[in-house]
Amino acid sequence: MLYNKKIILGITGGIAAYKCAHLVRLLVKQGAQVKVILTPAASAFVTPQTLSVLSKNEVVVDFFDANFNWNNHVHLAEWADLLLIAPLTANTLAKMAGGACDNVLLATYLSAKTKCFVAPAMDLDMYKHPSVKRNLETLTKTGNIVIPAESGELASGLVGEGRMAEPENIVAFLNDHFSKSLPLSGKTALVNAGPTYEAIDPVRFIGNRSSGKMGIAIAETLAINGANVVLVLGPSNEKVKNSSIKIINVESSEQMYDAMLSNYANKDIVICSAAVADYKPAIVSETKIKKKSNSGDLLNLELIKTKDILSELGKQKQQQLLVGFALETNNLIEYAAEKVKSKNLDLIIANSAIEKGAGFGTDTNKITIIDKHNKISNFELKSKQEVAIDIVNYLIDLLNKK
Ligand code: CTP
């Protein structure tokens, strides 16, 4: 959920600030872009250098920092998708509630139109104090979201409520918040992508030129929109950036078949974008095939049909919205429309194997979506990321109409 989110982490001057190095790491690991602002008091607890290395961004402390223009707080506020203030001290809390602005963090807070999450941290009696309670209520009433403090041993030695939520819990809180507000929240998706390799002998295989880019872009777009995604990935050199996606690596069409069928039952959306081999060697040699074992110049390889994964999924279809791909060199729409019927699909994404900029190996694609009622939607030539957005938006519309 935090993948690609732009987060400003505001750190104020409490002992829990030392935990923010770990918090930054966790946020970055989730794929978030993080920029840190420290209040001057916070830099006594954690160094800007540490946070800068971990966030891979410059850290701002003061209006008068060498690289900071006085009005950069406005740009920071515009850049951010969300503001997270952790730990939030009683002092900064009071200033936020009162609208004070005597440091860069407060100026950024007042300029930001995005959601602001705060994770208070203070000592037991401070946290219970009526003024603190009133200020927290003021923040909540004005649209800020409080990540409740946790109970435990406090820096003073007292035991009770007031500890900043643990970094893992802050990340879980943010993930939970965003997963509930996305169009595919609560939906599960299964995608296959990439080529398959069909073994000839222990060192050789029959493969194809699929890169896996299109399917990976679809899986990532589904995840960004809140779906819980399982990706069955054939041998591909592409990286999957979104760490929330569960990846099952496979090599052969048989392994892909098993992985797709065993993960199919409870899914809402299933997209088969993989270039599955249609044929594989009928017999796989256990040892490397040697030239001298062959009498002439010709080597005959007997091929046998692989199982059609998509057809089998079509046969077993229940609640799933089942989407196939059709890669054709000719009669694109006619052949693709036939596959919608023969494989019992809800829709098919047709793309040409010969049109410039479409199909295998490129960073772009040009698709036509054909649904089971033969409604045809044409799209322009676009980057595979943009094509994935078109496909996922089409599916979101379809699910909303259900
Ligand atoms: N497909 C599959 N299992 C196979 C072959 C194809 O699941 N053994 C899926 C592909 O992932 C794609 C769809 O079927 O979503 C169409 O694949 P395509 O290669 O275009 O068509 P085929 O059904 O293989 O038929 P043909 O090659 O004759 O066009």
Side-chain angles (χ1 to χ4, degrees):
M1 289 319 104
L2 299 179
Y3 177 70
N4 256 352
K5 281 246 177 323
K6 297 184 186 119
I7 302 178
I8 288 181
L9 172 62
I11 304 178
T12 73
I15 180 67
Y18 84 92
K19 293 186 180 174
C20 287
H22 184 44
L23 178 57
V24 171
R25 278 199 68 210
L26 292 178
L27 293 170
V28 169
K29 221 169 150 194
Q30 297 262 317
Q33 299 176 46
V34 182
K35 291 189 179 178
V36 178
I37 306 176
L38 293 173
T39 61
S43 46
F45 295 94
V46 60
T47 72
Q49 283 79 0
T50 306
L51 297 162
S52 174
V53 170
L54 294 173
S55 66
K56 301 185 185 78
N57 276 313
E58 267 176 31
V59 171
V60 182
V61 184
D62 207 302
F63 280 120
F64 306 108
D65 283 352
N67 297 325
F68 195 77
N69 293 327
W70 73 270
N71 61 347
N72 270 6
H73 60 90
V74 178
H75 301 139
L76 277 169
E78 276 172 358
W79 172 84
D81 294 321
L82 76 102
L83 196 57
L84 167 65
I85 303 185
L88 174 69
T89 56
N91 187 32
T92 298
L93 167 65
K95 289 182 188 176
M96 287 170 77
C101 182
D102 65 355
N103 61 41
V104 181
L105 177 60
L106 290 165
T108 308
Y109 167 68
L110 291 177
S111 310
K113 294 180 194 74
T114 52
K115 278 242 171 307
C116 176
F117 294 77
V118 296
M122 50 200 90
D123 216 69
L124 184 65
D125 295 315
M126 287 171 83
Y127 194 56
K128 279 192 196 148
H129 196 280
S131 311
V132 167
K133 288 202 153 159
R134 189 194 57 224
N135 286 338
L136 280 172
E137 270 168 35
T138 306
L139 284 203
T140 309
K141 273 188 205 143
T142 48
N144 301 283
I145 297 168
V146 177
I147 304 173
E150 294 175 1
S151 278
E153 194 176 328
L154 301 162
S156 61
L158 295 173
V159 176
E161 215 178 4
R163 277 163 68 112
M164 182 181 86
E166 288 300 327
E168 283 78 4
N169 296 344
I170 293 178
V171 171
F173 188 99
L174 295 176
N175 270 323
D176 193 49
H177 176 89
F178 287 107
S179 70
K180 283 183 187 139
S181 56
L182 291 167
L184 294 177
S185 294
K187 299 281 182 216
T188 51
L190 176 65
V191 179
N192 69 10
T196 62
Y197 287 177
E198 309 301 329
I200 298 171
D201 67 14
V203 293
R204 302 180 179 98
F205 61 83
I206 299 174
N208 60 63
R209 296 184 198 279
S210 166
S211 63
K213 279 182 189 163
M214 192 64 254
I216 291 172
I218 292 171
E220 291 194 320
T221 309
L222 289 165
I224 287 169
N225 281 281
N228 194 332
V229 183
V230 176
L231 172 66
V232 178
L233 185 59
S236 160
N237 292 324
E238 297 300 312
K239 279 228 153 49
V240 181
K241 291 182 230 110
N242 194 320
S243 60
S244 75
I245 297 172
K246 181 183 169 196
I247 303 170
I248 302 175
N249 289 108
V250 296
E251 196 167 280
S252 66
S253 59
E254 186 75 27
Q255 290 167 349
M256 192 172 270
Y257 179 93
D258 290 344
M260 290 300 284
L261 268 290
S262 58
N263 282 280
Y264 187 50
N266 55 358
K267 296 296 182 293
D268 299 300
I269 301 168
V270 178
I271 304 179
C272 291
S273 71
V276 187
D278 288 328
Y279 292 90
K280 63 179 182 180
I283 297 164
V284 181
S285 171
E286 279 181 21
T287 51
K288 186 182 167 203
I289 299 171
K290 303 292 287 175
K291 271 186 288 195
K292 63 177 181 225
S293 63
N294 206 25
S295 49
D297 286 346
L298 211 61
L299 173 69
N300 284 316
L301 207 57
E302 215 178 10
L303 301 179
I304 186 168
K305 254 194 188 153
T306 57
K307 292 178 192 160
D308 190 315
I309 303 169
L310 188 56
S311 292
E312 188 54 38
L313 298 178
K315 279 183 202 143
Q316 297 188 19
K317 185 160 77 126
Q318 291 183 346
Q319 79 289 345
Q320 297 92 347
L321 192 68
L322 185 58
V323 181
F325 264 73
L327 184 73
E328 310 288 353
T329 52
N330 54 312
N331 301 342
L332 178 65
I333 304 301
E334 185 192 328
Y335 287 157
E338 268 171 34
K339 285 176 190 168
V340 178
K341 300 263 167 328
S342 65
K343 301 196 184 200
N344 191 25
L345 310 180
D346 291 285
L347 46 105
I348 200 155
I349 321 285
N351 55 175
S352 165
I354 51 171
E355 201 171 321
K356 204 162 174 267
F360 280 1
T362 63
D363 287 330
T364 53
N365 204 0
K366 186 170 184 305
I367 59 159
T368 299
I369 298 182
I370 307 167
D371 77 2
K372 60 182 175 190
H373 308 295
N374 221 16
K375 186 180 143 219
I376 296 175
S377 313
N378 290 304
F379 294 81
E380 298 294 311
L381 180 73
K382 295 178 182 184
S383 74
K384 284 188 171 165
Q385 266 72 27
E386 289 169 317
V387 171
I389 293 170
D390 285 340
I391 294 170
V392 172
N393 284 343
Y394 190 102
L395 295 175
I396 292 170
D397 276 353
L398 212 59
L399 287 167
N400 286 340
K401 282 182 200 144
K402 258 191 170 180

